[in-house]
Amino acid sequence: MKGLYCRAGAEPKFVIHETSLPEVLGSHLVRVQVKACGLSPLDLKLLDDVGIKRDLIPVGREVAGVVLQVGAKVSFFQPEDEVVGILPLDSPCSGLCDVIDIDEHYLVQKPEKLSSVCAAGALRDALCAHTALHTHARVAAGHTLLVMDGASSFGLMCIQLACYHGVKVFTTSHSPQQHTFLEQLRPSVAKVIPVFNGPSELLPAVLEETGGLGVDIVVDSGVRLQEEESEEAKLLPHKHDIISVLGVGGHWVTTHKDLQLDPPDCRLLYLKSASMSFLNHEVWTASSAQQGRYLHILKDIVEKMSAGVLRPQPKEAVPLYEATVIMESVQRHQKKKAVVQL
């Protein structure tokens, strides 16, 4: 059978490669026929950091499918169960293979009403949103939250999850079309702040909406560290602006991997008794220290998707023969997300 793999180098190259599964299934493994697989950018630096070095790196890890066979010691699943999950970083299987083997502790049951394409396409962003709001920020009803780039898949999941928990949400828009989309969201956000004319509108708008107090939580989608020239970078907030919109005792969750805070930034955080944390989207599958909690979160996410609490923007599924070209676009961040239907 064929799967999608990345040949790492100065310029990553994506190739369709023939592979096979062992005849004997491991005792804790589940053999799954894949129905849909989500494609996200590969973090090659992270793989190198954790010591995963391969000539061919499997691509496509968010999967939804049907159980074909279970190992002798598998207790959670049986054949014909519909499942969804995220393959671990060291998985030898590409999620775009017709059939894959995966440990039962990386899978949860997929509700019948939830489509495979929707589950595979939104699982990763929903997991990140849950981790940012619950694990890092300890969100609660009555809090105020600023979500940067609310029209992105991750931003939308943050908004919907926060609104469900009774949080007052502010967000930013990167274009007039996104601004209209966010203003029409239901449940609605308290304020959509346009930053496509320049991020200078962010601080005064937030302070006006909060009576000068600032927000309890900020979740960013990237940070501008200096005066960068690219159009995409100009839409990102400066780190000083984010710290400035935080209220006393506030918490900043950042997705920026190489963020550096200067002494004046640290001083401002200290004065506000505020805190910050880094959101690593791979942390749950990179360590088994909190496996039970991870499975509980995955189950909660798919149940909320099935119930309509989390409503990801529909993504058009692409066939397998287009996967190589689509993945190149995703890796270059020309396309933020894609789903392949098998």
Side-chain angles (χ1 to χ4, degrees):
M1 61 185 176
K2 296 177 179 178
L4 183 64
Y5 293 81
C6 173
R7 187 172 280 120
E11 185 70 32
K13 186 177 181 181
F14 297 96
V15 295
I16 299 292
H17 181 69
E18 195 73 31
T19 185
S20 61
L21 295 175
E23 289 185 14
V24 179
L25 187 64
S27 57
H28 287 285
L29 296 182
V30 177
R31 188 155 287 176
V32 176
Q33 182 177 11
V34 180
K35 297 294 185 185
C37 176
L39 297 179
S40 301
L42 275 179
D43 191 338
L44 298 173
K45 177 70 167 64
L46 177 66
L47 291 173
D48 189 54
D49 288 341
V50 297
I52 297 174
K53 301 182 188 297
R54 289 180 175 147
D55 294 332
L56 290 174
I57 301 166
V59 175
R61 294 178 37 231
E62 304 103 90
V63 296
V66 178
V67 175
L68 296 177
Q69 185 183 348
V70 298
K73 295 184 179 178
V74 171
S75 55
F76 294 158
F77 305 102
Q78 56 190 16
E80 298 187 11
D81 281 350
E82 293 192 42
V83 293
V84 61
I86 300 177
L87 294 170
L89 280 170
D90 59 353
S91 171
C93 294
S94 163
L96 276 77
C97 293
D98 289 336
V99 180
I100 60 171
D101 288 349
I102 178 172
D103 192 288
E104 66 171 330
H105 297 106
Y106 292 109
L107 294 171
V108 293
Q109 299 271 3
K110 181 180 76 66
E112 192 177 337
K113 290 196 295 183
L114 181 62
S115 76
S116 295
V117 169
C118 179
L123 188 65
R124 177 191 177 104
D125 291 313
L127 176 64
C128 286
H130 194 291
T131 306
L133 297 182
H134 290 287
T135 308
H136 289 293
R138 309 288 183 187
V139 74
H143 278 167
T144 50
L145 166 69
L146 173 62
V147 177
M148 312 304 294
D149 190 13
S152 67
S153 181
F154 168 62
L156 189 60
M157 294 291 100
C158 285
I159 290 171
Q160 291 172 351
L161 192 58
C163 288
Y164 174 76
H165 288 291
V167 175
K168 186 176 183 180
V169 181
F170 309 104
T171 189
T172 61
S173 58
H174 286 186
S175 69
Q177 294 80 10
Q178 288 186 8
H179 193 83
T180 303
F181 167 74
L182 290 167
E183 286 194 323
Q184 293 173 347
L185 272 183
R186 294 295 178 271
S188 59
V189 298
K191 177 77 173 178
V192 182
I193 304 164
V195 295
F196 43 86
N197 296 324
S200 57
E201 297 179 42
L202 179 64
L203 181 57
V206 171
L207 293 181
E208 182 184 349
E209 290 292 324
T210 59
L213 296 176
V215 294
D216 297 307
I217 304 161
V218 176
V219 178
D220 70 38
S221 59
V223 179
R224 185 159 49 101
L225 301 181
Q226 57 230 354
E227 296 305 318
E228 299 179 62
E229 293 301 319
S230 71
E231 290 301 315
E232 190 174 330
K234 287 179 181 177
L235 295 171
L236 298 174
H238 195 275
K239 57 185 176 180
H240 185 76
D241 291 337
I242 293 182
I243 297 171
S244 297
V245 301
L246 275 178
V248 171
H251 188 81
W252 171 18
V253 182
T254 182
T255 59
H256 199 292
K257 304 166 191 174
D258 304 313
L259 181 67
Q260 292 181 323
L261 295 181
D262 301 319
D265 300 323
C266 295
R267 180 68 182 174
L268 187 52
L269 280 171
Y270 165 75
L271 291 172
K272 295 187 175 202
S273 193
S275 58
M276 67 165 293
S277 57
F278 290 88
L279 179 62
N280 176 3
H281 56 270
E282 300 291 2
V283 70
W284 294 108
T285 55
S287 169
S288 58
Q290 299 189 52
Q291 197 74 40
R293 188 178 180 190
Y294 169 59
L295 288 176
H296 177 79
I297 292 170
L298 277 189
K299 187 177 179 184
D300 184 55
I301 287 168
V302 294
E303 286 175 353
K304 281 184 168 62
M305 283 188 200
S306 178
V309 173
L310 297 177
R311 302 176 307 284
Q313 286 182 279
K315 295 178 179 65
E316 186 179 347
V318 298
L320 180 60
Y321 63 81
E322 291 183 15
T324 305
V325 176
I326 291 293
M327 187 59 204
E328 286 174 356
S329 299
V330 169
Q331 188 68 18
R332 290 195 298 264
H333 298 280
Q334 293 172 346
K335 188 179 177 73
K336 290 193 174 180
K337 191 79 183 178
V339 184
V340 177
Q341 191 165 17
L342 282 78

